[in-house]
Amino acid sequence: MATILGTSSSAILASKPFSAPSLSLTSSGLSFGRKYYGGTGLVSKKGRPQFHVAVASVATDIGSVEKAQKAAAKESQRPVYPFAAIVGQDEMKLCLLLNVIDPKIGGVMIMGDRGTGKSTTVRSLVDLLPEIKVVSGDPYNSDPEDPESMGIEVRESVVKGEDLTVVLTKINMVDLPLGATEDRVCGTIDIEKALTEGVKAFEPGLLAKANRGILYVDEVNLLDDHLVDVLLDSAASGWNTVEREGISISHPARFILIGSGNPEEGELRPQLLDRFGMHAQVGTVRDAELRVKIVEERARFDKNPKEFRKSYMAEQEKLQQQISSARSFLSSVQIDHDLKVKISKVCSELNVDGLRGDIVTNRAAKALAALKGREHVTAEDIATVIPNCLRHRLRKDPLESIDSGLLVSEKFYEVFS
């Protein structure tokens, strides 16, 4: 695919990262435990702030202890294969990076042969995820600055004018196992509080934990239909509504949906497939030298995971910097009107249903330009991402032998030439 499009993600990742302005709430506030008091006021029409957000971290002594505890907890966790060590699979890696840069792209569906590193690549993304501001102690990872991403309790506190304690935390990645129950996914009544205190309390589920993060479903094409319905509802509205055992509650559930699977094991329901912003196809590496390199790298990792991860530390940090710079630079990226018209013309001539394909292609092209450190989207950027944004939205013809991604590429060059 990379040769067809004329661009590979390895070249993209090697490009010089755009220097972003430094954030005031970075490692100095958390790592060293200094106190910060201050905040942001949203000014109403009368000139009075509607609410005030207080940013505070723990005192220096407690902060150093917490830092040591976090480091010890991280060391005790199961080691993750480094993202920078993944050989090949450029299309899949690029789709994942673009979704981290702009979560509104809508996630990525990864389909391919078994044993091609799909789940390994997705889980390796954890190390690259940036930090976000959340309200301390809130189970929904509420955004202190965006009312649409606030839980009900936080929103009530804002209305009352109460100060919110804000902390920095890494974006969550939540695994949704195939055997999960609907109660565990959506949330249910808190049995412990019901028995001990006699009150009806809500116990948040996986969707609450995944808010403003990543929800990963391995073998998504084998997921039970009732869980697919739950994901469809949350992905469409960005909210999860629970009505059970006398409890009625809604909470934000905006997440990047990532799924992987083997097409030989079953097709994905078209309703859910359309909810994925991008679609990546993964094939088995055929080059003998590359296969040997993959085997050797995996053997090194299995023998000594810590040493292996250290050997890729510099590349991982470079990728983190690129992602952070691209996220901060994304809002200033522009796409010309004539390019937007041509994107919509491609979608129209391919008979793509709805407008999701147009929206996702525009967002993905801007994210790619931000990753390259450019302020304007080029036709080359669109050529790189448009097959991944449209191939799963085409109507399937059982007699068609050509890959849908090639059909999209052919139509792109026909329109853009």
Side-chain angles (χ1 to χ4, degrees):
M1 182 63 70
T3 54
I4 296 169
L5 302 177
T7 304
S8 67
S9 61
S10 56
I12 296 163
L13 299 179
S15 62
K16 186 178 179 180
F18 185 86
S19 58
S22 59
L23 300 176
S24 59
L25 292 175
T26 50
S27 57
S28 58
L30 285 179
S31 300
F32 303 106
R34 298 172 185 169
K35 280 193 174 183
Y36 287 89
Y37 293 102
T40 307
L42 295 186
V43 181
S44 63
K45 292 181 180 178
K46 295 181 180 180
R48 297 178 181 177
Q50 293 175 338
F51 65 88
H52 181 76
V53 179
V55 181
S57 62
V58 292
T60 306
D61 294 339
I62 302 174
S64 59
V65 173
E66 284 193 352
K67 183 183 175 184
Q69 289 176 344
K70 284 182 180 179
K74 190 173 182 181
E75 287 296 322
S76 64
Q77 289 176 353
R78 185 173 60 180
V80 178
Y81 198 86
F83 188 87
I86 306 261
V87 178
Q89 312 300 11
D90 294 334
E91 183 180 325
M92 170 173 57
K93 291 192 289 187
L94 179 61
C95 289
L96 291 171
L97 289 177
L98 295 183
N99 272 274
V100 174
I101 292 169
D102 186 1
K104 291 183 179 179
I105 288 174
V108 56
M109 178 67 208
I110 304 167
M111 296 295 277
D113 305 330
R114 60 182 69 87
T116 49
K118 299 185 295 293
S119 56
T120 301
T121 306
V122 174
R123 292 193 172 100
S124 69
L125 201 63
V126 171
D127 291 335
L128 304 180
L129 297 178
E131 291 184 330
I132 55 174
K133 289 190 285 186
V134 300
V135 177
S136 179
D138 183 70
Y140 311 117
N141 301 318
S142 294
D143 187 343
E145 298 171 355
D146 181 13
E148 286 297 315
S149 298
M150 289 181 183
I152 295 174
E153 293 180 2
V154 174
R155 192 175 294 187
E156 289 175 353
S157 299
V158 167
V159 171
K160 293 176 184 177
E162 298 176 2
D163 289 348
L164 302 177
T165 303
V166 178
V167 295
L168 284 173
T169 183
K170 288 198 76 169
I171 291 177
N172 269 339
M173 178 178 285
V174 179
D175 276 281
L176 176 60
L178 294 179
T181 63
E182 190 174 339
D183 286 355
R184 185 69 192 99
V185 175
C186 297
T188 186
I189 191 169
D190 192 328
I191 301 297
E192 183 180 353
K193 283 192 176 180
L195 294 176
T196 57
E197 302 175 20
V199 296
K200 291 179 182 178
F202 179 67
E203 184 178 353
L206 294 178
L207 292 181
K209 189 177 179 182
N211 184 43
R212 302 181 67 210
I214 295 174
L215 184 66
Y216 174 50
V217 190
D218 195 9
E219 306 294 349
V220 65
N221 46 339
L222 304 180
L223 196 64
D224 288 340
D225 283 347
H226 67 283
L227 292 182
V228 171
D229 294 335
V230 169
L231 289 182
L232 279 173
D233 186 42
S234 297
S237 64
W239 285 78
N240 176 40
T241 303
V242 180
E243 301 278 354
R244 60 183 60 189
E245 286 94 19
I247 287 180
S248 177
I249 190 169
S250 294
H251 66 79
R254 300 175 185 273
F255 46 80
I256 303 171
L257 184 60
I258 298 179
S260 61
N262 185 352
E264 295 178 0
E265 297 171 356
E267 292 294 329
L268 194 63
R269 281 172 57 178
Q271 304 98 308
L272 184 59
L273 185 60
D274 188 58
R275 290 293 170 186
F276 288 98
M278 304 182 77
H279 185 286
Q281 285 186 345
V282 182
T284 304
V285 177
R286 300 299 176 191
D287 183 82
E289 289 293 333
L290 278 180
R291 291 170 77 106
V292 170
K293 183 178 180 182
I294 294 169
V295 172
E296 290 177 345
E297 292 286 270
R298 184 70 210 190
R300 281 181 56 209
F301 176 76
D302 291 338
K303 184 178 180 180
N304 194 333
K306 289 184 180 179
E307 286 298 322
F308 184 81
R309 285 173 58 83
K310 281 183 181 178
S311 66
Y312 281 94
M313 189 78 71
E315 292 181 53
Q316 291 280 96
E317 289 177 356
K318 182 181 177 183
L319 267 175
Q320 281 181 313
Q321 177 60 36
Q322 279 189 276
I323 292 171
S324 177
S325 300
R327 281 171 65 94
S328 60
F329 186 54
L330 181 64
S331 59
S332 60
V333 176
Q334 302 294 326
I335 180 168
D336 293 337
H337 179 73
D338 62 328
L339 292 180
K340 293 179 182 179
V341 172
K342 288 181 178 179
I343 289 172
S344 293
K345 189 176 180 181
V346 172
C347 295
S348 177
E349 294 190 8
L350 287 171
N351 295 319
V352 175
D353 293 332
L355 295 174
R356 237 181 235 123
D358 306 56
I359 295 170
V360 170
T361 305
N362 278 271
R363 286 191 176 280
K366 290 174 72 174
L368 180 55
L371 184 62
K372 292 179 177 180
R374 286 191 275 98
E375 292 186 353
H376 292 279
V377 173
T378 64
E380 184 185 3
D381 297 330
I382 299 169
T384 304
V385 301
I386 198 168
N388 304 113
C389 298
L390 299 183
R391 66 150 60 100
H392 58 299
R393 305 180 194 278
L394 303 186
R395 294 180 181 179
K396 291 192 175 180
D397 184 356
L399 300 178
E400 188 66 68
S401 59
I402 191 170
D403 177 64
S404 56
L406 293 177
L407 287 175
V408 175
S409 295
E410 288 175 0
K411 182 60 67 177
F412 166 84
Y413 288 114
E414 180 183 320
V415 171
F416 275 73
S417 60

